[in-house]
Amino acid sequence: MKPLVLQGHERSITQIKYNREGDLLFSCSKDQKPNVWFSLNGERLGTFNGHQGAVWCIDVDWTTTKLMTGSGDMSTRLWNVERGTTIATIPCKSSVRTCNFSYSGNQAAYSTDKAMGHSCELFIIDVRNPDEGLATANAILRIPILQSKITSMLWGPLDETIITGHEDGQITVWDLRMGKEVNSVNDHTMVINDMQMSKDGTMFVSASKDTTAKLFDSESLMCLKTYKTERHVNSASISPIMDHVALGGGQDAMEVTTTSARAGKFDARFFYLIYEEEFARVKGHFGPINSLAFHPDGKSFATGGEDGFVRVQVFDSSYFDYSFD
């Protein structure tokens, strides 16, 4: 299982995302330039130039025509994927921490940080016919977040709800028709770094700094499983074809020492979805893994690290044959 190493970013990776078909891999980092790569051979297709600050989040719609990025330069941008040009730049009052297209691709959501006297807010915008007018148009819905700030976000089933993960470990469901909170749980005790849906949308996995990843029912927010490690979990993803969960993490960047890579602190770790047992580790990065994603066909996965590299690993046939005893 020889990895592809995608070298193109100058600073640490913040998020990676596959498109729906899985032929393209999008990555963003603190170096201001989101990239798009061919996932099969690791060749860089292009960059999206325009942001003036670290890019914290990235998402692509299901048709792979529109890309959305949120940045520390206090803006959200919509891009034309094919041409790499900016469709619209939406100014915000603070850094944009999360952004996601809805499943239908008709709407998009993004959240801003609590900073400089501005509270954290969640915005829903219409992106059916996006143009420069989005910069001045009012959002469809604007929800002020009075509790701790949003650090990760997902669209719920049928685009009727949004699930947010917060800095204090809370997970909340918002009903978009009513514009208010309908459910929340506090299973995590520290910041939620990442949340990713299962392929069918019935469950999602959350990754937290409290050293655990947890599997939740996306309707009721019931905690179904807990995957324990001994270090911060920065990202977690559910395999689309196997009952497996992959976790990526490590210590905070400022606590990293040279021994950590040897001690196996930066491996991608694989757990059985149902039994909560760890069964494999994959080495690679020279620093914490900040983002992890399974390929939509489940035959490979990609990780983005603090070292600025994106690594794509294809599974050997033995991975698919192995069963839990």
Side-chain angles (χ1 to χ4, degrees):
M1 160 157 133
K2 190 174 187 309
L4 291 170
V5 182
L6 316 187
Q7 304 177 349
H9 287 289
E10 294 162 11
R11 293 190 59 200
S12 49
I13 307 294
T14 49
Q15 196 173 20
I16 55 172
K17 281 260 173 86
Y18 281 101
N19 65 344
R20 193 177 67 148
E21 291 80 23
D23 59 333
L24 298 178
L25 177 61
F26 294 85
S27 62
C28 63
S29 81
K30 294 178 184 173
D31 67 4
Q32 311 177 4
K33 292 190 182 83
N35 283 207
V36 55
W37 316 77
F38 287 113
S39 61
L40 189 65
N41 58 5
E43 187 183 331
R44 181 157 66 171
L45 184 57
T47 60
F48 298 89
N49 301 334
H51 276 299
Q52 301 299 313
V55 183
W56 293 116
C57 52
I58 193 163
D59 194 31
V60 59
D61 72 342
W62 67 276
T63 55
T64 320
T65 50
K66 295 192 284 283
L67 183 76
M68 187 178 186
T69 53
S71 168
D73 65 6
M74 305 200 290
S75 73
T76 301
R77 281 178 184 247
L78 280 168
W79 309 79
N80 179 315
V81 171
E82 196 178 349
R83 298 197 187 92
T85 52
T86 303
I87 301 171
T89 304
I90 304 165
C92 305
K93 295 202 170 71
S94 57
S95 308
V96 179
R97 187 63 52 179
T98 66
C99 66
N100 271 315
F101 284 103
S102 65
Y103 185 75
S104 64
N106 293 338
Q107 294 166 303
Y110 62 93
S111 73
T112 58
D113 275 354
K114 180 177 180 177
M116 299 178 295
H118 299 291
S119 63
C120 171
E121 287 189 293
L122 178 64
F123 296 86
I124 315 294
I125 54 172
D126 187 329
V127 290
R128 277 176 293 199
N129 302 304
D131 54 28
E132 265 305 328
L134 268 177
T136 51
N138 288 332
I140 303 174
L141 185 62
R142 184 172 172 173
I143 304 173
I145 309 294
L146 303 173
Q147 62 262 53
S148 77
K149 75 170 189 185
I150 295 174
T151 50
S152 59
M153 172 183 63
L154 288 171
W155 281 82
L158 300 174
D159 300 353
E160 291 169 354
T161 56
I162 276 186
I163 304 164
T164 56
H166 296 259
E167 196 170 33
D168 60 359
Q170 184 178 8
I171 294 178
T172 306
V173 176
W174 304 87
D175 186 295
L176 298 182
R177 288 188 210 146
M178 298 187 287
K180 63 177 202 260
E181 179 183 325
V182 286
N183 193 3
S184 77
V185 291
N186 286 327
D187 287 284
H188 284 293
T189 55
M190 290 172 85
V191 56
I192 291 170
N193 293 317
D194 187 28
M195 299 192 301
Q196 293 190 31
M197 273 285 175
S198 61
K199 190 179 180 185
D200 59 7
T202 55
M203 305 177 291
F204 67 91
V205 66
S206 61
S208 170
K209 194 178 173 179
D210 65 9
T211 73
T212 64
K214 290 178 189 277
L215 188 72
F216 290 93
D217 181 279
S218 56
E219 291 276 336
S220 66
L221 288 194
M222 185 173 137
C223 181
L224 306 171
K225 300 286 175 191
T226 301
Y227 311 98
K228 294 189 182 74
T229 68
E230 69 293 327
R231 62 201 172 176
H232 306 333
V233 185
N234 292 340
S235 192
S237 187
I238 303 171
S239 168
I241 55 167
M242 310 281 278
D243 287 332
H244 295 162
V245 175
L247 273 55
Q251 313 113 300
D252 282 341
M254 59 186 182
E255 295 169 9
V256 171
T257 61
T258 50
T259 57
S260 300
R262 284 206 300 277
K265 292 228 171 75
F266 307 136
D267 305 353
R269 304 170 72 154
F270 287 80
F271 284 78
Y272 285 106
L273 182 87
I274 298 159
Y275 306 112
E276 305 176 349
E277 292 277 332
E278 184 181 349
F279 68 92
R281 293 188 183 192
V282 178
K283 285 187 168 52
H285 287 282
F286 294 102
I289 292 172
N290 290 339
S291 187
L292 188 148
F294 272 100
H295 189 287
D297 69 5
K299 292 177 182 166
S300 63
F301 75 103
T303 52
E306 190 71 28
D307 54 8
F309 296 138
V310 178
R311 297 174 72 94
V312 179
Q313 301 263 7
V314 180
F315 293 116
D316 294 337
S317 57
S318 55
Y319 167 83
F320 305 103
D321 305 334
Y322 187 64
S323 61
F324 189 76
D325 298 330

